[in-house]
Amino acid sequence: MEWTGARYADKPTVEVRTWIGAPPGRVWTLVSDIGLMPRMSPELQSVEWLDGRSGAALGARFVGRSKHDALGEWATTSHVVEYEPPRTLAWAVEDPQEPTAIWRFTLEPENGGTLLRQWMQMGPGRSGLSFAIDRMPDKEQKIVFVRMREFETNMTGTLEAIKKLAESARTTGEGGL
C-alpha cells in the first residue's frame, strides 16, 4: 500500500483480490460462513449471530470480538447490508447509517474459477481508532495509513486462507473445513 495521506473523514478504502481455482458457489459457501472468519484472521477472535440467526441474510446481525496488541480488545455489532448469493456479501459495523467500517466480499466467475475481492472502508462513524486520533491529531494521517496497511495485510491472509480451503475442497471432493 502506498502512502495516500488520507484522513479518517476521507473514508479511506483498501481492496485485495485473488483468483481461486474453484466455482463461485464453493467460494461463496466459505465467504458467507462468518463463523470461519476468526480462523483466518489474526485480529477477529470470534463471531456470534444475533436474533436467532444462524447464517448470513440481508439485515442479519452478528457480534464480532476482536483483539489487537496496540488497540486492546473490543466487540462490535455488524449488520448485513448487502446479500446477493453467490456474488456479494457486505456488512456495516455498528450503525448501518453511520458505520465505523464497511466490509464487502465480491465474487465473479473468471477463467473457470472465481475472482474474489475483499474491500473495506474505514468510517465515517467514530471507531476505536478515533480515540488514538483524538490523542494525537497531528499524527492522524500516519495513524490511518498504518491501520489501513494492517487491514490490507490481514485481508490478504484471509483471501489466501479462503483460496486454500476452496481449492482443497476441489481436489478432495470435501468441504475442506
Side-chain angles (χ1 to χ4, degrees):
M1 171 174 281
E2 293 185 27
W3 173 261
T4 63
R7 297 185 179 280
Y8 193 87
D10 296 332
K11 300 187 288 187
T13 64
V14 63
E15 180 179 88
V16 297
R17 61 180 66 196
T18 192
W19 182 84
I20 299 174
R26 183 173 301 134
V27 177
W28 176 261
T29 298
L30 298 168
V31 165
S32 62
D33 184 355
I34 300 296
L36 276 180
M37 295 304 148
R39 287 182 32 195
M40 302 177 195
S41 168
E43 198 168 299
L44 183 62
Q45 302 296 298
S46 68
V47 295
E48 178 184 346
W49 287 106
L50 298 174
D51 309 318
R53 300 276 187 170
S54 60
L58 191 61
R61 299 181 320 134
F62 62 92
V63 172
R65 290 173 183 77
S66 300
K67 183 177 181 179
H68 185 282
D69 289 341
L71 301 172
E73 296 183 26
W74 67 95
T76 57
T77 300
S78 293
H79 306 255
V80 175
V81 294
E82 293 178 52
Y83 183 74
E84 301 170 27
R87 294 194 46 89
T88 307
L89 174 64
W91 58 94
V93 181
E94 295 300 343
D95 180 355
Q97 303 306 311
E98 184 89 358
T100 62
I102 299 171
W103 294 84
R104 179 181 296 120
F105 284 106
T106 306
L107 296 78
E108 294 177 39
E110 183 178 276
N111 298 325
T114 304
L115 176 61
L116 176 62
R117 293 184 179 97
Q118 186 177 16
W119 173 93
M120 74 83 56
Q121 172 189 293
M122 184 184 291
R126 287 179 58 83
S127 71
L129 202 62
S130 301
F131 299 107
I133 293 167
D134 290 348
R135 288 192 304 272
M136 300 176 281
D138 56 319
K139 296 183 178 176
E140 177 179 4
Q141 291 168 297
K142 183 175 183 182
I143 291 167
V144 168
F145 176 73
V146 167
R147 190 64 173 133
M148 295 303 286
R149 195 171 55 198
E150 286 177 339
F151 284 141
E152 181 180 50
T153 298
N154 293 346
M155 290 161 64
T156 298
T158 296
L159 293 195
E160 288 171 1
I162 292 168
K163 177 180 176 77
K164 184 177 179 181
L165 286 171
E167 290 179 349
S168 70
R170 181 190 69 200
T171 60
T172 64
E174 299 173 3
L177 310 176

